[in-house]
Amino acid sequence: MKNSTLITLTTLNGSRQYTITQLIKKFIITFIIMILFLVIATFFFIKYLNSVIDEKNKSLENKSKEIQRIFAQKDKLNKRILDLEGNIGLLETNISSLEKTIQKKEKFLEEVNDKVVDIERIIQFEPPKDMEIKQRLDLAKMDLVDKKFVLRNIPNGYPLRYKGISSPFGWRNHPILHKREFHTGLDLRASLNTPVYATADGIINFAKYHRKSGYGNLLIIDHNFGFKTLFGHLNKIVVKQGDFVQKGQLVAYTGNTGLSNGPHLHYEIRYIGVVLNPVYFMRWNLKNYNSIFKKEKKVRWQSLIKAIDWQKKLIQQNIKE
């Protein structure tokens, strides 16, 4: 047969012959080629899948390492947080202890301040009444030269251009500390950098920032016969410690330094450690010369007159010699 193929199969039992047409032959060849192609394609596809899987595995491995690193950092962070919480707890304990200590100190300082005020009030004695008439008679005998000498050496007049008093002398509620205390001077109203003048001749005892008192830039002038003036919360001081100043000389400019709620001048007058009301001295001048001796009774004016007479006699004696 022309379009057929004869296939002979030989076995132990004999030979057999089979005839396959040409079409079947082509089909088988095509099928075999397709099978080979599928095998080859499957091989390369499997190889490709293996490479993809390897990349995925590597990516997963890297991500696994990153997750492990993140967890390790998280553990370290948790440990640091625990340490910080422990430190915060310790700090809170220390702060609480410190606050209690500060409260005890503040209470102690308040008690000391109250005792100091009580002592000041005790020290601020009044002279016996039977001396008043004799003192006034002696004071009245003073001539014009003696009066001018006294007004030159004992604080009097205003230390700046007067615009009123914002806080008087005596007991008050502190505007910043909000507690009752004794105000040892006057707070005089003044804008920033108002000129401040000496109210008597004297020597500069202190001229710099004073932190403990709350007065900020503080100026203290020592005058004759045990008097002292204090100027607090200054912006600028133009004199130095040890300088001699005359009555009316520029010594500073007002400010807002220290424990202050606005520009003003804190002005004090003291006599041998006793605080005096500056109002009497600011209003004291040659015209109302005798008024101070009636109003301010904490000063031993009789002894002061003796000191003035003694100095006067000493000067006259030196002139004669």
Side-chain angles (χ1 to χ4, degrees):
M1 297 177 64
K2 185 177 180 180
N3 294 324
S4 62
T5 302
L6 182 65
I7 298 176
T8 302
L9 296 176
T10 302
T11 62
L12 295 175
N13 297 324
S15 298
R16 290 184 181 184
Q17 292 182 344
Y18 299 92
T19 302
I20 302 174
T21 62
Q22 190 69 29
L23 182 61
I24 294 174
K25 180 180 178 181
K26 290 180 179 181
F27 175 78
I28 293 173
I29 293 171
T30 303
F31 180 77
I32 292 172
I33 292 172
M34 289 179 64
I35 292 297
L36 290 173
F37 176 79
L38 287 174
V39 170
I40 295 170
T42 303
F43 172 78
F44 284 105
F45 182 71
I46 292 172
K47 188 174 182 181
Y48 169 75
L49 288 178
N50 287 332
S51 64
V52 171
I53 291 171
D54 289 340
E55 289 180 0
K56 293 293 183 181
N57 288 335
K58 289 180 180 179
S59 177
L60 289 173
E61 186 178 354
N62 292 333
K63 288 183 179 180
S64 177
K65 291 180 179 179
E66 182 67 19
I67 291 171
Q68 290 177 356
R69 186 180 66 83
I70 291 172
F71 276 109
Q73 290 181 349
K74 182 181 177 182
D75 291 339
K76 290 181 180 179
L77 185 60
N78 288 334
K79 186 177 180 181
R80 290 186 64 183
I81 290 172
L82 291 174
D83 293 339
L84 287 173
E85 288 177 348
N87 292 334
I88 290 171
L90 182 61
L91 183 61
E92 288 177 347
T93 303
N94 292 335
I95 290 173
S96 177
S97 177
L98 184 60
E99 287 177 347
K100 290 180 180 178
T101 303
I102 290 173
Q103 289 175 357
K104 289 181 181 179
K105 293 292 184 183
E106 288 179 347
K107 186 177 180 180
F108 173 75
L109 289 175
E110 288 178 0
E111 292 176 354
V112 170
N113 182 63
D114 292 340
K115 290 180 180 179
V116 169
V117 171
D118 292 338
I119 292 172
E120 287 180 344
R121 294 178 66 185
I122 293 172
I123 291 176
Q124 293 173 9
F125 52 83
E126 292 187 4
K129 293 183 178 180
D130 58 354
M131 293 181 63
E132 292 183 2
I133 296 176
K134 187 176 185 303
Q135 286 185 16
R136 292 176 187 176
L137 290 174
D138 291 338
L139 292 168
K141 293 178 183 178
M142 298 182 72
D143 57 25
L144 182 61
V145 175
D146 290 338
K147 290 179 180 179
K148 288 183 176 180
F149 177 80
V150 170
L151 292 174
R152 188 82 190 181
N153 289 274
I154 296 177
N156 63 93
Y158 296 92
L160 45 61
R161 185 177 179 182
Y162 184 70
K163 292 185 178 180
I165 298 171
S166 59
S167 185
F169 176 85
W171 288 100
R172 67 166 184 175
N173 290 321
H174 197 283
I176 296 178
L177 300 178
H178 303 294
K179 65 179 182 179
R180 185 169 171 79
E181 67 168 17
F182 192 84
H183 192 212
T184 55
L186 292 177
D187 286 346
L188 299 173
R189 291 192 179 95
S191 56
L192 188 65
N193 290 324
T194 299
V196 178
Y197 305 97
T199 51
D201 294 351
I203 301 293
I204 303 301
N205 177 286
F206 188 91
K208 58 183 178 180
Y209 194 89
H210 195 276
R211 189 179 303 276
K212 293 183 179 179
S213 65
Y215 289 158
N217 289 326
L218 175 65
L219 177 66
I220 302 176
I221 304 178
D222 289 339
H223 306 285
N224 282 332
F225 311 116
F227 287 90
K228 189 187 300 284
T229 51
L230 290 82
F231 308 81
H233 309 300
L234 301 169
N235 183 44
K236 183 180 180 181
I237 301 173
V238 298
V239 291
K240 296 180 180 179
Q241 185 178 11
D243 287 350
F244 171 77
V245 294
Q246 296 180 335
K247 177 178 172 60
Q249 180 178 333
L250 176 67
V251 292
Y253 292 93
T254 58
N256 189 32
T257 57
L259 198 62
S260 171
N261 60 354
H264 69 282
L265 174 67
H266 176 84
Y267 179 56
E268 287 187 25
I269 298 178
R270 298 186 181 186
Y271 174 67
I272 55 173
V274 178
V275 290
L276 307 176
N277 191 341
V279 170
Y280 303 145
F281 292 85
M282 289 194 307
R283 297 173 181 172
W284 185 31
N285 54 48
L286 195 59
K287 293 181 180 179
N288 62 355
Y289 183 80
N290 292 330
S291 64
I292 191 72
F293 309 118
K294 298 176 183 179
K295 294 179 179 179
E296 185 52 79
K297 298 180 181 181
K298 298 170 187 174
V299 177
R300 295 287 186 174
W301 296 111
Q302 184 67 24
S303 298
L304 181 61
I305 293 168
K306 290 181 180 179
I308 294 172
D309 288 338
W310 180 80
Q311 285 193 4
K312 184 178 178 181
K313 291 178 182 178
L314 184 63
I315 292 172
Q316 290 175 349
Q317 183 178 356
N318 290 332
I319 292 174
K320 290 180 180 179
E321 292 178 353

